Amino acid sequence: AQSVTQLGSHVSVSEGALVLLRCNYSSSVPPYLFWYVQYPNQGLQLLLKYTTGATLVKGINGFEAEFKKSETSFHLTKPSAHMSDAAEYFCAVSANTGGFKTIFGAGTRLFVKA
Amino acid sequence: DTGVSQDPRHKITKRGQNVTFRCDPISEHNRLYWYRQTLGQGPEFLTYFQNEAQLEKSRLLSDRFSAERPKGSFSTLEIQRTEQGDSAMYLCASSLPLSKAYSNQPQHFGDGTRLSIL
């Protein structure tokens, strides 16, 4: 079975500061990992995904994440926060265990201060 | 590029009434998923289809819930005898078939249907 833990339900940063959103996963088989962003009253939009290969994954809007198997982590970073980055971010895991059901974390709300 | 479309966007109904939501996936996507999202939580898996076949159902999907995808295109999610606890955002997502992918394909989400039970 798979599970996801997002550390910190709320993160606040200043505009221009580093963004770091933490995600740890649990999976009995090699996982596929995703980060999604959700703006108010909208669905989820894919930021980036890790499947196999390079462990540092670059996504849209300047975000990137690094898969660290030894730490079972997939933290999301962005060097410089922008006001438009304020949203809810979800880490998700899926795996080939007879189906690719995706399990989502509880989410981290990112606040960006001017 | 047409994304995943959900209708209605909002539904307000009285407890005990039946409601039905519709999801139109991206046309070439043969996998379709339903999720429920409550305030402050991530989406919770309800069920998914590959073409018209419903392959998995969560234990969250009580016997009051039924989902169909009769022609392998659009899908409906019906909730009978609604309860207060059914108030949530219902999200639909679709993805490419695994046979055309080297790896798991990400899901593309609609904007959801927000259900409020009075």
Side-chain angles (χ1 to χ4, degrees), chain B residues 24-44:
Chain B
D24 287 88
I26 294 171
S27 58
E28 63 267 30
H29 288 184
N30 79 336
R31 289 196 153 209
L32 186 148
Y33 308 79
W34 284 100
Y35 292 86
R36 182 175 68 187
Q37 185 179 23
T38 54
L39 200 62
Q41 297 297 317
E44 297 173 289

Side-chain angles (χ1 to χ4, degrees), chain A residues 32 34 36 38 41-46 49 51-52 88 90 94-96 98-107, chain B residues 9-10 31 33 35 37 40-43 45 48 56 89 91 98 102-112 114:
Chain A
Y32 298 99
F34 307 87
Y36 287 86
Q38 185 177 35
N41 297 313
Q42 294 186 21
L44 282 68
Q45 179 185 5
L46 180 71
K49 64 176 180 177
T51 53
T52 59
E88 187 94 23
F90 294 95
S94 70
N96 187 7
F100 279 98
K101 184 172 66 177
T102 301
I103 305 299
F104 288 84
Chain B
R9 291 295 313 277
H10 298 94
R31 289 196 153 209
Y33 308 79
Y35 292 86
Q37 185 179 23
Q41 297 297 317
F45 171 80
Y48 90 91
E56 188 172 350
M89 174 80 88
L91 293 166
L98 294 180
Y102 293 105
S103 60
N104 188 20
Q105 285 292 336
Q107 296 168 29
H108 298 255
F109 283 81
D111 285 339
R114 182 169 295 283

